[in-house]
Amino acid sequence: MPNQKGSDNLFAIGCADGFFRIVSETGREEKRVQAHRGAVISVRWSLDGSAIASAGEDGSVKVWSRSGMLRSTLTQMPHAVYSVVWSPDCEHLLFACGRKIHLKSIQAGHKQVEWKAHDGIVIQLDWSVVNNIILSGGEDCKYKLWDWYGRLLFSSAPLDHVVTAVAWSPTGKYFAVGSFNALKLCDRTGWSYCRESPETGSIFSISWCNDGTQLACGGGNGTVLFASLVDRTLSWQNTDVTLDEDNTVTVHDILNETKEELDFRDRVTEMSLAHGALVVTTNNQCFVYQQSSWNTPHVEDLKEPPILIVQCTHHFALVDSVGIQVINYDGRILSTIKFSGLCTEYLNHHTLCICRDAVCLVDSSSQKQIRVFDVYSGRQMGQPILHKLDIVHISMNQQGTGADRKIAILDKNKDLYLTKAMHADRSEKLGAMVDSFMWNDSTDMLIALIDDKLIIYIYPSVVFVDKDLLPKTLYPKACNDAGKYAQIVAFYGAHCVIRRADGADLAVMTTPYPQILYQHFEKGQWEQTIRLCRHVKSPELWASLAAMAMSARALETVEIALAAIEEVDKVQFVAHINKLPDDILRSAELALFCKRPEEALTILAQNKRIYRAIKMNIRLHRWSDALELALKHQTHVDTVLAYRQQHLAQMKHMETNEQFKQWAQQVEVDWDTVKKKIAMEKDAELRNAEAD
């Protein structure tokens, strides 16, 4: 039974006589339940320990209360059901019958989903709580990975014998596969770390310990096999870290050809290496090492065993069963994040991310919802961000501060979106059919793997400035060697590392020029950015410079960059903005250029530029808004009516709006008077600008 506070330590046993038995930890039988006709093949506790699912030779799948009372017979299949597992939210059951996998809600009235999974009978299933991936093994000697919509993520080569057992580790990083005299340890993406050949016969059951460092197997010849994970390896730039079976961590600096050995008294449960810092945890302590001094770690005592470490440049998040602690690399706790409904066991590197000033996570109670927290106070910032579909991966950029903080979102349809962490009113789509993505460590570049191509988003924020420029800022690079199921594991500087489906790492060199562009951009060195783009002669670099300069309101640079990529109409509009007399008008026109008309109108209204606000509504053909604004401020009513009549005459239409008909009868329209009033407004703006 899953470990729940205040719950009894019980376990359930399925028997060949059709009964299952609930037994206490002392071995005393608490309950004996007649469940099936024929053998009970599979029995599983729900994750919250409140229910039991059973499947048997009679083809039925049933749900029971924790005390053994029948709640429902979920389905009746024509053949034996060999495996049943709960979904992470405990709302669905996944079971195997014949060559198919079936997914059914425990609530009545929901449609059952099924798909053909193997060429032989599906024998074993498991569903990871952490990464939400389904694992199956069958008589066709293969094991496969699926998402919960039935889409294949990985398929192994056939083993020598039937796959008889599969099990995810509690961390979701690994899974184990059992066969006849064979035990394999595999990465979450499917490739194999190692294969052992114990004399156990067919391995029928695999169970992991809570920290995911050890596992036990039951063999067909009566053997119980115990195994530990050894030689775990981490890499970051020029540093490799390896944990051996004696709890010794070896740090190898490849560039300087040095080695350091770090000994630990207790069993190491978790390690993380990034940004020049190594974080190592046992069940009771956390050790923080800096690259500059491996021999003097900062040591912190822990109240709960950690289950996840996520790092950024300045600090890291340490996740346990209680909450999320944010700790800096000096070992000082900055904050603790807790909220009602937080289920830390669902978090992983794809659903939790951290940067200099924020922590971001996917809410386990709603996979469409993102929560953002302040690093230093642990408080939630703003309202949760809502996405249209279930989210599978989020990541925040590491550069800039709060206002510049952006979240990249990959949803279940493999669509990639970008949203602002602090102002999540806009979410813009970056790409489709994205397999993997990652932010650059030192710039705001984003890299994605799409259809055997590496796509580098030189300046992703272009979608908030001018989305039409997005395709022109993309730098594609062929990556045919990556193959299917590849994942991006590192992106630093101009270097990208891709892990293929067979576990091999593929190093790819991208273009170095965006790095230099960002260096000049951050310092406001616009002359140098123009020189760089003229030297490189890259349309992608020119388009990125145009967007960067537009966000920084360097309009002269914007004109030059847009002209270089032959965006003539935009050059003309920017030239018009440049001629405006003051910053208020330029800000409003830039907001309009960036397709934010409401923001533009707000800027004008707040600064009492009523004529300009009225004229912008007219330009946007928001005639009713223009008239309403004119009437509210009792000015330029004749201007609105004059432009309306001119527009109708050009379109050869008759007036149909009753409000305009009424005011046309009450207000005399004289174009000479209108032009004089407009000229007076512009003269007043010019005088005010000169006075300032």
Side-chain angles (χ1 to χ4, degrees), residues 627 631 637-638 640-642 644-645 648 654-670:
L627 183 59
L631 292 171
V637 176
D638 56 343
V640 177
L641 295 174
R644 172 77 170 183
Q645 291 170 9
L648 291 173
M654 297 294 291
E655 182 62 75
T656 57
N657 188 303
E658 292 299 328
Q659 191 178 21
F660 276 93
K661 285 182 180 179
Q662 176 187 345
W663 283 103
Q665 293 174 359
Q666 298 179 23
V667 178
E668 183 182 350
V669 176
D670 178 31

Side-chain angles (χ1 to χ4, degrees), residues 381-452:
M381 296 190 291
Q383 294 298 314
I385 300 169
L386 294 175
H387 191 63
K388 293 180 289 186
L389 300 173
D390 287 353
I391 299 167
V392 297
H393 188 185
I394 59 170
S395 183
M396 282 190 292
N397 65 326
Q398 297 297 316
Q399 296 304 303
T401 55
D404 303 319
R405 192 65 57 223
K406 292 170 283 289
I407 306 172
I409 301 170
L410 185 66
D411 62 27
K412 69 177 185 179
N413 279 356
K414 293 190 173 183
D415 291 332
L416 183 62
Y417 289 83
L418 190 68
T419 188
K420 292 185 178 181
M422 307 307 172
H423 306 283
D425 55 336
R426 288 180 67 189
S427 183
E428 299 289 351
K429 187 174 179 179
L430 292 178
M433 298 308 296
V434 177
D435 295 314
S436 179
F437 75 92
M438 183 171 285
W439 288 99
N440 189 262
D441 69 328
S442 58
T443 68
D444 270 352
M445 283 196 299
L446 188 71
I447 196 165
L449 199 55
I450 306 174
D451 292 335
D452 295 330

Side-chain angles (χ1 to χ4, degrees), residues 54-68:
S54 67
E57 280 185 337
D58 59 359
S60 63
V61 177
K62 299 181 180 181
V63 179
W64 310 80
S65 70
R66 68 190 307 273
S67 60

Side-chain angles (χ1 to χ4, degrees), residues 396-650:
M396 282 190 292
N397 65 326
Q398 297 297 316
Q399 296 304 303
T401 55
D404 303 319
R405 192 65 57 223
K406 292 170 283 289
I407 306 172
I409 301 170
L410 185 66
D411 62 27
K412 69 177 185 179
N413 279 356
K414 293 190 173 183
D415 291 332
L416 183 62
Y417 289 83
L418 190 68
T419 188
K420 292 185 178 181
M422 307 307 172
H423 306 283
D425 55 336
R426 288 180 67 189
S427 183
E428 299 289 351
K429 187 174 179 179
L430 292 178
M433 298 308 296
V434 177
D435 295 314
S436 179
F437 75 92
M438 183 171 285
W439 288 99
N440 189 262
D441 69 328
S442 58
T443 68
D444 270 352
M445 283 196 299
L446 188 71
I447 196 165
L449 199 55
I450 306 174
D451 292 335
D452 295 330
K453 283 185 181 179
L454 268 180
I455 305 295
I456 302 165
Y457 294 83
I458 297 177
Y459 188 63
S461 297
V462 66
V463 293
F464 301 123
V465 178
D466 183 0
K467 195 172 182 180
D468 297 337
L469 285 178
L470 175 62
K472 297 189 176 185
T473 64
L474 305 184
Y475 182 84
K477 187 175 180 68
C479 195
N480 298 324
D481 294 337
K484 295 177 68 177
Y485 315 125
Q487 296 287 311
I488 299 170
V489 295
F491 183 33
Y492 55 91
H495 303 272
C496 177
V497 180
I498 301 170
R499 185 155 292 160
R500 304 194 319 179
D502 59 1
D505 285 349
L506 179 66
V508 179
M509 186 72 179
T510 65
T511 173
Y513 297 113
Q515 301 280 331
I516 305 170
L517 183 67
Y518 268 100
Q519 290 171 11
H520 294 314
F521 165 56
E522 288 166 2
K523 296 175 183 177
Q525 298 172 340
W526 299 111
E527 193 63 39
Q528 285 85 339
T529 60
I530 293 169
R531 288 177 186 173
L532 174 68
C533 292
R534 283 174 176 162
H535 172 72
V536 178
K537 297 182 176 67
S538 165
E540 296 88 1
L541 222 56
W542 276 118
S544 301
L545 175 59
M548 289 175 175
M550 208 175 300
S551 66
R553 297 180 59 185
L555 297 181
E556 292 181 2
T557 305
V558 174
E559 278 192 71
I560 296 170
L562 289 174
I565 55 175
E566 299 179 352
E567 292 280 352
V568 180
D569 54 338
K570 293 178 181 178
V571 171
Q572 290 176 344
F573 191 81
V574 173
H576 152 70
I577 296 174
N578 249 332
K579 293 175 183 176
L580 294 172
D582 59 47
D583 282 343
I584 294 170
L585 298 180
R586 284 193 285 268
S587 297
E589 290 295 320
L590 270 175
L592 187 63
F593 182 84
C594 298
K595 297 182 176 63
R596 299 197 297 268
E598 302 301 333
E599 181 182 330
L601 290 166
T602 302
I603 292 170
L604 294 172
Q606 287 177 347
N607 290 278
K608 299 182 179 178
R609 301 300 178 89
I610 306 305
Y611 161 68
R612 290 288 185 174
I614 291 170
K615 187 62 185 296
M616 187 172 286
N617 275 315
I618 292 172
R619 288 160 58 194
L620 295 171
H621 293 273
R622 298 181 175 183
W623 298 103
S624 296
D625 291 344
L627 183 59
E628 183 182 341
L629 195 60
L631 292 171
K632 179 181 177 181
H633 294 276
Q634 298 181 353
T635 182
H636 286 285
V637 176
D638 56 343
T639 304
V640 177
L641 295 174
Y643 278 105
R644 172 77 170 183
Q645 291 170 9
Q646 183 187 64
H647 171 71
L648 291 173
Q650 289 172 348

Side-chain angles (χ1 to χ4, degrees), residues 83-247:
S83 183
V84 61
V85 291
W86 290 89
S87 66
D89 60 5
C90 298
E91 292 294 323
H92 297 78
L93 279 176
L94 187 78
F95 56 92
C97 182
R99 301 180 179 186
K100 292 183 177 180
I101 293 175
H102 304 259
L103 178 64
K104 188 164 185 178
S105 171
I106 61 173
Q107 305 298 328
H110 291 266
K111 185 180 178 182
Q112 179 173 308
V113 179
E114 62 181 53
W115 65 90
K116 182 184 177 183
H118 290 265
D119 292 329
I121 293 174
V122 182
I123 295 177
Q124 281 289 324
L125 296 172
D126 200 11
W127 196 336
S128 174
V129 176
V130 178
N131 59 41
N132 209 20
I133 297 176
I134 296 166
L135 172 62
S136 66
E139 281 191 341
D140 57 358
C141 305
K142 294 180 181 180
Y143 56 90
K144 298 183 180 182
L145 297 176
W146 314 84
D147 66 15
W148 76 295
Y149 307 103
R151 296 180 296 202
L152 181 66
L153 303 178
F154 176 83
S155 178
S156 73
L159 306 183
D160 295 333
H161 299 282
V162 172
V163 175
T164 50
V166 294
W168 280 104
S169 79
T171 63
K173 294 180 180 178
Y174 318 104
F175 63 87
V177 178
S179 184
F180 179 77
N181 285 348
L183 177 64
K184 291 186 73 173
L185 178 68
C186 302
D187 183 77
R188 67 182 295 276
T189 55
W191 57 274
S192 175
Y193 282 106
C194 65
R195 172 177 173 153
E196 299 293 332
S197 302
E199 295 295 328
T200 57
S202 293
I203 294 175
F204 289 117
S205 179
I206 301 172
S207 182
W208 290 81
C209 67
N210 287 335
D211 59 20
T213 61
Q214 296 176 314
L215 56 88
C217 307
N221 62 5
T223 302
V224 178
L225 175 72
F226 295 92
S228 298
L229 269 61
V230 296
D231 295 334
R232 281 183 278 170
T233 303
L234 301 174
S235 296
W236 182 77
Q237 295 188 3
N238 299 314
T239 306
D240 287 344
V241 170
T242 304
L243 172 66
D244 65 21
E245 58 189 12
D246 297 321
N247 278 320

Side-chain angles (χ1 to χ4, degrees), residues 203-349:
I203 294 175
F204 289 117
S205 179
I206 301 172
S207 182
W208 290 81
C209 67
N210 287 335
D211 59 20
T213 61
Q214 296 176 314
L215 56 88
C217 307
N221 62 5
T223 302
V224 178
L225 175 72
F226 295 92
S228 298
L229 269 61
V230 296
D231 295 334
R232 281 183 278 170
T233 303
L234 301 174
S235 296
W236 182 77
Q237 295 188 3
N238 299 314
T239 306
D240 287 344
V241 170
T242 304
L243 172 66
D244 65 21
E245 58 189 12
D246 297 321
N247 278 320
T248 298
V249 174
T250 303
V251 182
H252 184 197
D253 188 330
I254 300 170
L255 192 62
N256 298 318
E257 297 184 351
T258 60
K259 282 189 177 182
E260 296 281 349
E261 289 192 350
L262 315 174
D263 295 319
F264 296 90
R265 181 180 57 193
D266 298 323
R267 186 170 80 246
V268 173
T269 58
E270 194 69 46
M271 297 190 306
S272 180
L273 174 68
H275 307 290
L278 172 66
V279 182
V280 181
T281 63
T282 65
N283 280 328
N284 304 310
Q285 289 181 309
C286 174
F287 301 82
V288 183
Y289 296 86
Q290 296 279 5
Q291 199 169 27
S292 56
S293 56
W294 294 112
N295 296 319
T296 54
H298 297 283
V299 183
E300 289 293 322
D301 292 330
L302 302 176
K303 296 179 181 178
E304 296 285 337
I307 56 178
L308 179 66
I309 303 169
V310 180
Q311 291 182 251
C312 73
T313 51
H314 293 79
H315 28 250
F316 63 94
L318 189 69
V319 183
D320 58 31
S321 60
V322 176
I324 304 168
Q325 293 185 71
V326 181
I327 306 172
N328 67 14
Y329 291 122
D330 292 329
R332 185 166 63 90
I333 297 176
L334 302 178
S335 65
T336 300
I337 296 172
K338 297 179 183 177
F339 62 90
S340 177
L342 173 63
C343 297
T344 56
E345 63 268 23
Y346 291 94
L347 297 175
N348 59 49
H349 284 89

